[in-house]
Amino acid sequence: MANESPAVLEGALQENALLERRSRPVRKSVDQETAEALVRRLCSLLDAEDFFGRYAALQPREKIAQQFLASAADQSQSEFNCAVSPKVRQQVPLLFQAMAGVIEERSGTMIQSTAEINGEGFGRGLLYSGRVILVLKSLRAGFPFPFTSEEKMLRYGAECIEEGLAFLDRYKEVTAMHGLLSLEG
């Protein structure tokens, strides 16, 4: 290092300073079109489970708040002894189904979802099309579930949707020749 030129040393110091200043990335705002599509899909799934139409008169945001979001009591129940509340076990597959529907809408490709969470809060959520896995999220101790605010739920859902669409777009040329079902490996 003693024989290095001052310019090289200065460049190394600047690079080191950049590495030290790293912090969490600044989150960009949620795309409103994606958020509205997610709310619409989630409401249609909630309406399908509302057999007697108890919540039919509610606005979409109120429906989500009453039927989907967990209360503080549900959240504290999930944190006690690593047990997952029934509300959380309902949230996981519904959110992944709604995300799959939005990706399907946007891409024109059939998207499937699989999501499960066990009683201790461990599980996974998966969005895929044919043999291509678009989104794979591991759930550890239920995190990020239970969602207690609509904003957090919309942010998580929009990020997963954007990730899935970006992955689908990146591999579109690979799958164009043979289709999604014929990828090897």
Side-chain angles (χ1 to χ4, degrees), residues 4-22:
E4 295 290 329
S5 70
V8 173
L9 289 175
E10 185 177 324
L13 289 175
Q14 286 176 351
E15 184 178 323
N16 193 21
L18 286 175
L19 290 175
E20 288 176 9
R21 282 188 271 168
R22 265 193 222 181

Side-chain angles (χ1 to χ4, degrees), residues 50-105:
D50 185 18
F51 302 116
F52 300 112
R54 292 183 186 139
Y55 303 100
L58 296 177
Q59 295 298 319
R61 306 277 177 162
E62 294 171 346
K63 238 181 245 189
I64 289 172
Q66 286 192 0
Q67 288 183 275
F68 184 75
L69 296 177
S71 65
D74 289 329
Q75 188 174 19
S76 66
Q77 181 182 356
S78 290
E79 293 171 355
F80 180 72
N81 275 343
C82 299
V84 175
S85 70
K87 191 85 162 194
V88 173
R89 294 189 80 168
Q90 175 196 12
Q91 270 186 354
V92 173
L94 276 177
L95 185 60
F96 277 91
Q97 284 176 354
M99 289 187 295
V102 173
I103 294 174
E104 193 170 286
E105 244 177 48

Side-chain angles (χ1 to χ4, degrees), residues 83-155:
V84 175
S85 70
K87 191 85 162 194
V88 173
R89 294 189 80 168
Q90 175 196 12
Q91 270 186 354
V92 173
L94 276 177
L95 185 60
F96 277 91
Q97 284 176 354
M99 289 187 295
V102 173
I103 294 174
E104 193 170 286
E105 244 177 48
R106 298 263 170 94
S107 68
T109 306
M110 190 165 79
I111 308 294
Q112 295 88 22
S113 70
T114 301
E116 63 182 0
I117 187 167
N118 66 14
E120 294 175 350
F122 295 98
R124 83 176 35 99
L126 181 70
L127 299 176
Y128 60 97
S129 182
R131 292 184 180 181
V132 178
I133 296 174
L134 303 174
V135 177
L136 176 62
K137 295 291 181 182
S138 293
L139 307 173
R140 302 203 186 283
F143 183 78
F145 296 89
F147 288 112
T148 55
S149 77
E150 184 178 349
E151 179 187 349
K152 289 180 181 178
M153 183 267 304
L154 287 176
R155 179 171 301 283

